[in-house]
Amino acid sequence: MLIARRADTRARADFATWNMMAKLNGSSALPPEAQEFLASYRNLLTQMSDNEATEATIGAIYKAYYAEMGGAGTPPDVRVRPPETAADNVTAFRRPAPKPKKAASFGAAAFAESQKRSLPVALIFACLVVVYVGIRLYWR
């Protein structure tokens, strides 16, 4: 099943790439097997709808890749959705759940919110002053 999923994913990605290159007049740069699959796709377009021709061509590419990757026998069906809904790949946007805030101990939450930006800067500055004074005293 792993080989079948990889072959199907690769077939769908390659067909989309080849189809886009053909639309951009770059099909002459494609490998010969890609040009053969695109020619069969164009022949299928005269006989059936775009979605059906696309699925039939991807199925042929999938079978070729399945055999190439070492799959034995007939390739299993890996598509969960029917081909009619394959063109509808829009997912509704959902906001992620808000992250829970960490509870500060001993009432430091109110102080930390008001001093959130200035405290690290002040702490870094104070550490730099201590290091500078320490180096000056060491060199005397």
Side-chain angles (χ1 to χ4, degrees):
M1 210 45 192
L2 181 64
I3 292 173
R5 285 189 191 130
R6 285 183 183 170
D8 183 63
T9 303
R10 183 175 165 201
R12 290 185 182 280
D14 283 352
F15 178 74
T17 303
W18 298 339
N19 201 12
M20 187 57 65
M21 286 185 70
K23 287 180 182 178
L24 296 174
N25 295 325
S27 60
S28 61
L30 293 173
E33 68 268 0
Q35 292 178 1
E36 291 174 16
F37 283 122
L38 284 176
S40 69
Y41 171 68
R42 287 188 201 106
N43 290 337
L44 289 173
L45 277 177
T46 60
Q47 301 168 3
M48 53 184 75
S49 71
D50 183 40
N51 288 340
E52 293 171 343
T54 299
E55 286 300 318
T57 306
I58 289 174
I61 298 169
Y62 164 62
K63 289 177 184 175
Y65 284 169
Y66 183 76
E68 179 183 309
M69 291 179 174
T74 59
D77 186 26
V78 293
R79 298 309 296 173
V80 177
R81 309 182 270 180
E84 296 86 37
T85 60
D88 183 24
N89 60 358
V90 178
T91 304
F93 177 75
R94 289 184 291 145
R95 290 192 180 270
K99 295 180 180 177
K101 294 184 178 182
K102 295 181 181 177
S105 59
F106 302 115
F111 178 73
E113 288 178 338
S114 65
Q115 298 292 330
K116 189 172 186 180
R117 287 286 184 198
S118 62
L119 182 62
V121 174
L123 185 61
I124 291 171
F125 181 74
C127 290
L128 286 174
V129 169
V130 169
V131 168
Y132 176 75
V133 170
I135 290 173
R136 293 290 288 186
L137 290 175
Y138 177 75
W139 286 107
R140 281 191 180 181

